Amino acid sequence: LLGRLTAARPKIGAYPFTTKIPNLGVMYLDDSQLVIADIPGLIEGASDGVGLGFQFLRHISRTKSIAYVIDAGDENPCDTLRMLEHELAAHGTGLEKRPRLLVANKIDLPDSADRADELRECYPDDDMVLVSAVSGDGVREFAGALMRLQDTE
């Protein structure tokens, strides 16, 4: 997604945890710009230092808002988001209170619409966008939502 939104060229792979280090890119939309950080995915226990949890959480603590990118092919997207919320809250720096956007990625996959609907049902009060990094569907809407999120800070 970072590559779709910016001129950044991060490593891309069809497997979990392709992103091992934070990547930055600058998104330009109309007359505005926004620096976007693509942080490696958090795993359960990150707030206790599992994996590179402390390091990744330190990177996240520098952000003003958070886009939670959830794989729309995930069999239980609500549980995945709850785990992320728990890890951010357990870090103890107020990350869970930052302005946020839910992003259902990989909407080009079979059953992804059903999973995105599940996520929307679990979090009806959150703004959510549907995107496909592969096809580019929803990327313009995602960019606009990120800009609006920046304006709420």
Side-chain angles (χ1 to χ4, degrees):
L1 281 173
L2 183 68
R4 285 279 186 178
L5 294 168
T6 73
R9 294 294 163 242
K11 182 178 178 180
I12 297 171
Y15 52 91
F17 305 106
T18 303
T19 303
K20 295 187 187 318
I21 60 169
N23 292 289
L24 299 176
V26 179
M27 180 180 76
Y28 298 93
L29 185 66
D30 302 326
D31 294 331
S32 301
Q33 68 180 27
L34 176 66
V35 176
I36 299 172
D38 177 10
I39 307 296
L42 293 178
I43 59 173
E44 193 164 357
S47 60
D48 293 323
V50 173
L52 295 173
F54 289 148
Q55 181 181 350
F56 296 164
L57 286 163
R58 271 196 307 276
H59 287 293
I60 296 169
S61 68
R62 296 180 184 118
T63 66
K64 294 180 182 174
S65 58
I66 300 173
Y68 291 82
V69 180
I70 305 295
D71 183 335
D74 187 326
E75 288 197 20
N76 208 328
C78 296
D79 285 350
T80 298
L81 186 51
R82 283 186 201 105
M83 181 274 297
L84 292 172
E85 289 174 318
H86 169 79
E87 295 301 329
L88 293 182
H91 186 54
T93 57
L95 290 172
E96 74 283 4
K97 297 175 187 168
R98 305 257 167 102
R100 74 186 203 172
L101 173 68
L102 304 185
V103 182
N105 187 25
K106 301 184 183 178
I107 59 164
D108 51 304
L109 295 176
D111 299 325
S112 61
D114 293 339
R115 297 292 176 359
D117 288 343
E118 285 176 37
L119 191 58
R120 197 178 307 272
E121 286 174 21
C122 292
Y123 294 88
D125 297 330
D126 282 271
D127 288 334
M128 186 168 96
V129 294
L130 308 177
V131 299
S132 169
V134 171
S135 70
D137 290 342
V139 171
R140 178 91 177 150
E141 292 82 2
F142 182 26
L146 286 173
M147 285 298 186
R148 288 189 299 279
L149 187 62
Q150 173 182 280
D151 292 341
T152 65
E153 299 171 1

